[in-house]
Amino acid sequence: MEPSDRFIIVIFGGSGDLTKRKLMPALYNLFQKNQLPDKFAIIGIGRTAFTDDSFREVMAENIRTYSPPDITDNITMSTFFKNVYYQIVDSEVANDYLRLKQRIEFIDEQLQSGGNYVYYLSTSPHLFQVIADNLGQQQMNIESNDSGWKRLVVEKPFGYDLKTAVALNNGLQRVFKENQIYRIDHYLGKETVQNILAFRFANGIFEPLWNRNYIHHVEITAAEKIGVEDRGLYYDGTGAVRDMVQNHLLQILATITMEPPSQFNAPAVRNEKIKIFESIRPITPQEVSKYVVRGQYAESVVRGRTVSGYRCEKNIKPSSRIETFVAIKMFIDNWRWGGVPFYIRTGKRLPKRITEVVIHFKKTPHRLFQRARSAGVEENQLIIRVQPNEGILLQFGMKRPGAGFDIENVNMDFHYKDLSDTPIPDAYERLLLDCLHGDATLYARADAVEACWSFITPILHAWKKDRSIKLFTYPAGSWGPKQACDLFDDPVDNWHYPCGELMEEGEYGEL
Ligand code: BG6
């Protein structure tokens, strides 16, 4: 891809964790691959008292930690850091924005970056609106042919429920036009999520099967091995549904199920996705127990080591009823997917970090080889491994060599790493680059965010209001509450387990 226009990116939350772990390494990697223009600037913004130099030092340390050693040579690093600056700003103090504006304009004059600015909001969500309003107050949002483009990237969580998401959309749109707003969902920047689109729409053989006539059900799993770590303050007010389902998992669902867009551009792709979000069958408060299972991890013993339960983690209320696991059975009421159940689940402290989609095809209409020794014949499965070990696996039955007709399931396995020696770029690299090019295809549009919250919010409200809806516990290192299996109508069906449980001792229960 050609380098973008010259630009200045202003990162609010410049000394925060995301900047350190993701944004700065992503910008450095793009620079190192010559994907940035000849002149650009990165301005970290925060309340911490850094100078340009001390900020550069801290960021250099982070890049060395989070990037492969062979790309962090001193010359490239020092050339990159000539473009990095820091400005102390209290996001809530209006006057600070005037100083910021002057600083940006000064740097712009030196770089001749044509007034092209990205404002990246990587702060606590309560500041999103405050920052946008202050930028507006200083007219830092204004675009015109000769004043360059202005783009606002908004991190998650985008709202807390439907009402707050609508308010945030309306509030931001009072200052920035919708085409200036980039709502980031890093799952959309993952190569393998994009590859779902290529897999579906660059090949003629799968699409005819991609519907209710051939697909029995679909599973989407995003499992994490880690617990809440040091994010207790955020997570204990959020939970798995808001943290992972409302955004990442529903976006994967839409990528799997959307109709082919007429063109590959932002409006066409987003128009197809919104149709999916609007076709998701609502789950009423009375149906929540039937279609949704929530859980919270409890203490267990894994490889001889005691792993803490959620309620004993740092900054978690000892009586917390926040879910760290959720499984949902859902339907998409449209022509293509009518009647096909979609099972989605996510959780922390599960046995393995894995994100995958499993497409379960229907059984053959007649089981020709159904004999005692070939009882293992299963329906075909297509497994899309989003991470790790990125790839696609197709499972089908083959005759075992020798006498008779014994059928065995075999795998045709494609590993993404076989395609090229280039390591898979981090999602943030792709998304930042797209934003610099003005391509919003992989960003969420206002209506999509609201449609996702419309599906999620009644579930959250039911949990809050109806204490009879159970919150199960599962031992850390297990695959979540056993009740998640009850979502399947047919006991023959069950979740796909990519590995066994790690937990050696632990109990399932209820809170
Ligand atoms: C984030 C969530 O959006 O995604 C985290 O806030 C979660 O809780 C993370 O750990 C998972 O992302 P990835 O890319 O590691 O699958």
Side-chain angles (χ1 to χ4, degrees):
M1 202 181 243
E2 289 293 302
S4 55
D5 299 331
R6 289 181 180 179
F7 67 89
I8 297 178
I9 180 166
V10 183
I11 305 178
F12 290 86
S15 52
D17 199 45
L18 187 78
T19 310
K20 290 183 196 156
R21 282 191 307 111
K22 295 289 182 184
L23 302 181
M24 205 55 93
L27 286 163
Y28 176 76
N29 289 350
L30 292 173
F31 171 77
Q32 193 265 344
K33 291 180 203 163
N34 282 329
Q35 291 181 328
L36 298 185
D38 60 339
K39 298 256 170 79
F40 67 92
I42 302 167
I43 311 180
I45 301 292
R47 281 183 306 180
T48 316
F50 285 122
T51 59
D52 286 346
D53 282 339
S54 60
F55 183 63
R56 287 171 183 152
E57 264 166 43
V58 172
M59 290 299 139
E61 221 176 282
N62 285 301
I63 291 179
R64 289 209 169 85
T65 312
Y66 295 108
S67 302
D70 55 326
I71 67 165
T72 52
D73 61 279
N74 289 343
I75 297 180
T76 320
M77 290 277 277
S78 73
T79 322
F80 172 76
F81 276 105
K82 286 194 183 123
N83 305 291
V84 177
Y85 307 85
Y86 185 79
Q87 173 85 19
I88 302 174
V89 170
D90 182 334
S91 307
E92 294 179 280
V93 175
N95 277 346
D96 283 8
Y97 289 80
L98 183 60
R99 283 193 296 111
L100 174 61
K101 186 181 182 184
Q102 288 162 349
R103 180 96 196 264
I104 295 175
E105 284 172 355
F106 178 74
I107 295 173
D108 190 351
E109 235 172 82
Q110 292 180 322
L111 298 183
Q112 292 298 303
S113 49
N116 299 324
Y117 307 151
V118 177
Y119 306 112
Y120 197 116
L121 307 191
S122 170
T123 60
S124 158
H126 80 276
L127 293 173
F128 294 167
Q129 188 65 58
V130 179
I131 296 173
D133 287 342
N134 277 307
L135 292 171
Q137 204 89 83
Q138 295 298 337
Q139 308 203 322
M140 295 163 81
N141 55 333
I142 308 243
E143 289 186 317
S144 69
N145 284 346
D146 49 8
S147 72
W149 45 256
K150 308 285 177 292
R151 296 177 188 144
L152 183 77
V153 181
V154 189
E155 261 297 333
K156 63 168 280 236
F158 196 95
Y160 189 72
D161 54 15
L162 179 59
K163 204 168 135 202
T164 49
V166 171
L168 184 57
N169 271 332
N170 293 342
L172 295 181
Q173 286 168 349
R174 275 197 296 274
V175 186
F176 289 89
K177 296 190 289 285
E178 175 60 21
N179 67 6
Q180 293 178 280
I181 304 174
Y182 290 68
R183 296 171 195 78
I184 203 160
D185 183 321
H186 79 279
Y187 266 59
L188 290 180
K190 289 185 190 277
E191 271 295 327
T192 35
V193 173
Q194 295 163 50
N195 201 37
I196 295 173
L197 293 175
F199 180 76
R200 289 189 56 199
F201 303 136
N203 296 293
I205 59 170
F206 301 107
E207 211 41 33
L209 308 179
W210 214 256
N211 57 52
R212 64 192 301 276
N213 297 324
Y214 297 96
I215 292 179
H216 185 264
H217 68 275
V218 176
E219 278 177 68
I220 303 176
T221 294
E224 292 187 90
K225 198 170 173 186
I226 54 171
V228 284
E229 306 203 296
D230 51 4
R231 296 170 73 222
L233 279 181
Y234 155 76
Y235 198 86
D236 209 35
T238 305
V241 167
R242 288 187 176 95
D243 189 46
M244 292 292 289
V245 179
Q246 182 276 332
N247 35 52
H248 309 326
L249 292 197
L250 291 185
Q251 285 291 347
I252 296 185
L253 176 81
T255 312
I256 291 287
T257 55
M258 65 191 254
E259 293 299 317
S262 55
Q263 296 170 44
F264 196 68
N265 60 29
V269 170
R270 292 154 128 205
N271 285 347
E272 293 307 332
K273 282 193 170 172
I274 184 70
K275 289 184 203 160
I276 291 295
F277 296 134
E278 288 176 348
S279 310
I280 297 177
R281 188 186 301 170
I283 294 177
T284 63
Q286 298 70 33
E287 291 171 328
V288 167
S289 292
K290 182 171 171 206
Y291 290 117
V292 187
V293 172
R294 59 174 169 164
Q296 190 185 86
Y297 61 83
E299 183 183 293
S300 76
V301 178
V302 170
R303 295 198 178 113
R305 195 174 66 90
T306 303
V307 179
S308 297
Y310 176 72
R311 288 178 166 194
C312 294
E313 301 270 32
K314 197 168 102 203
N315 291 325
I316 303 298
K317 287 187 282 308
S319 59
S320 173
R321 290 183 64 79
I322 277 294
E323 79 289 356
T324 58
F325 172 97
V326 66
I328 308 180
K329 175 181 185 176
M330 55 201 286
F331 292 91
I332 296 173
D333 286 336
N334 68 11
W335 201 270
R336 187 189 278 257
W337 296 111
V340 177
F342 288 83
Y343 299 91
I344 65 179
R345 68 178 164 166
T346 183
K348 296 215 181 268
R349 281 270 185 250
L350 301 185
K352 189 179 167 89
R353 175 178 184 249
I354 189 161
T355 302
E356 65 173 24
V357 179
V358 186
I359 313 281
H360 295 259
F361 289 93
K362 287 188 172 171
K363 294 184 169 64
T364 52
H366 171 48
R367 314 214 84 190
L368 195 58
F369 304 109
Q370 191 77 29
R371 299 184 326 183
R373 288 177 60 206
S374 47
V377 180
E378 283 171 16
E379 78 279 18
N380 298 113
Q381 284 181 9
L382 180 79
I383 304 179
I384 301 173
R385 285 188 308 253
V386 174
Q387 63 188 20
N389 195 13
E390 293 80 359
I392 292 182
L393 184 145
L394 180 64
Q395 231 174 46
F396 51 94
M398 291 296 286
K399 179 185 172 303
R400 207 176 279 153
F405 263 89
D406 296 335
I407 308 297
E408 186 175 316
N409 276 305
V410 294
N411 297 332
M412 209 149 82
D413 203 354
F414 159 73
H415 294 263
Y416 221 77
K417 62 176 168 5
D418 297 342
L419 207 55
S420 119
D421 290 337
T422 322
I424 296 180
D426 186 78
Y428 278 92
E429 278 182 46
R430 169 63 193 246
L431 293 172
L432 281 166
L433 202 57
D434 280 5
C435 173
L436 295 172
H437 284 104
D439 181 353
T441 311
L442 300 177
Y443 285 83
R445 200 167 64 186
D447 52 359
V449 172
E450 290 178 17
C452 291
W453 277 119
S454 301
F455 171 66
I456 292 299
T457 304
I459 300 174
L460 297 170
H461 283 177
W463 282 348
K464 197 167 168 198
K465 286 197 189 129
D466 184 351
R467 299 286 285 195
S468 73
I469 303 177
K470 293 185 173 148
L471 168 61
F472 300 102
T473 58
Y474 59 97
S478 71
W479 277 105
K482 299 277 184 213
Q483 288 77 1
C485 303
D486 301 340
L487 292 174
F488 292 87
D489 296 329
D490 188 339
V492 173
D493 297 326
N494 199 347
W495 296 98
H496 178 253
Y497 294 110
C499 70
E501 304 204 318
L502 293 181
M503 161 269 297
E504 289 150 9
E505 279 170 46
E507 282 176 17
Y508 294 88
E510 238 176 82
L511 291 172

